[in-house]
Amino acid sequence: MTTTTAYRAARTTARLDSLVTDVREAVGRGLPPDLTAYLVGERLAPHLGAADLLTDEQCEGDSECYRQHVLHAEQDGSFSIVALVWLPGQRTSIHDHVSWCVTGVHEGEEHERRYRLVPAEETGGPARLLATEDVVNPQGAVCGFAPPGDIHRVWNACGSRAISLHIYGADIARLGSSVRRVYELPADR
């Protein structure tokens, strides 16, 4: 999966600081991953689309591949907030994640194809990926998931920039990515 990452000390906004505080409270409850993702999604939704959430620099894309801006990494490693900037046609590989994740579309729309891994024992041949759902997430949409069962591909199929915020239950500044595994298996689409 090809992406560029901006790690320089990000300028923050009052709205982003408020989101960090809200997420910190939700994560601090110590609930199971699926419940944590649900609560974090509730905190993220009101901020999406707000003009004062991100700086101009945090909305910059890269003509070669989608760009990841690490906006916040909690000091104890319990969560990170990342802005992904997608120019038209940019996409991820098929992948899964190291932790729970909540995504929200801030600008434009994000397309997603979800997959289920079908083991070799079930196929009578090599393992393969079965597409289970195609989703178009418009501005303001929020979704969350937790491993296992979080295999997907994301892309920008629109003619303009898309920006999504991703909140992970891991320290992305340290790890560099939320991706646990990239799948090179045959997929039905």
Side-chain angles (χ1 to χ4, degrees):
M1 181 159 11
T2 304
T3 182
T4 58
T5 303
Y7 285 112
R8 61 193 111 125
R11 231 181 56 213
T12 190
T13 65
R15 183 176 285 275
L16 181 59
D17 290 342
S18 175
L19 175 59
V20 167
T21 299
D22 292 346
V23 171
R24 184 178 292 131
E25 185 277 324
V27 170
R29 292 184 183 189
L31 297 172
D34 56 338
L35 294 175
T36 298
Y38 179 81
L39 291 174
V40 168
E42 285 185 328
R43 271 67 175 179
L44 174 59
H47 298 283
L48 296 171
D52 60 343
L53 178 60
L54 301 175
T55 66
D56 289 344
E57 182 180 56
Q58 294 162 342
C59 296
E60 290 176 0
D62 182 320
S63 62
E64 298 297 315
C65 52
Y66 72 94
R67 186 163 187 195
Q68 172 179 271
H69 296 272
V70 178
L71 304 176
H72 177 81
E74 191 72 349
Q75 199 160 19
D76 66 2
S78 60
F79 72 92
S80 299
I81 302 175
V82 175
L84 296 183
V85 180
W86 313 80
L87 299 181
Q90 293 178 337
R91 67 176 46 216
T92 69
S93 302
I94 300 172
H95 65 281
D96 63 9
H97 301 87
V98 298
S99 71
W100 60 263
C101 175
V102 172
T103 66
V105 179
H106 181 61
E107 176 184 303
E109 66 181 29
E110 201 174 74
H111 293 242
E112 177 186 18
R113 179 165 294 146
R114 299 174 185 168
Y115 296 89
R116 180 175 68 86
L117 178 62
V118 182
E121 305 82 58
E122 287 183 36
T123 68
R128 65 179 294 107
L129 294 169
L130 175 66
T132 60
E133 186 176 15
D134 282 326
V135 179
V136 177
N137 297 306
Q139 190 276 319
V142 174
C143 66
F145 51 82
D150 60 323
I151 303 169
H152 70 162
R153 163 179 273 157
V154 181
W155 70 95
N156 178 359
C158 300
S160 60
R161 175 180 74 182
I163 301 174
S164 52
L165 266 67
H166 297 235
I167 305 175
Y168 302 105
D171 185 346
I172 301 308
R174 184 180 61 79
L175 296 175
S177 172
S178 68
V179 173
R180 180 174 69 106
R181 180 181 333 157
V182 171
Y183 291 83
E184 302 290 342
L185 298 172
D188 60 352
R189 23 181 195 146

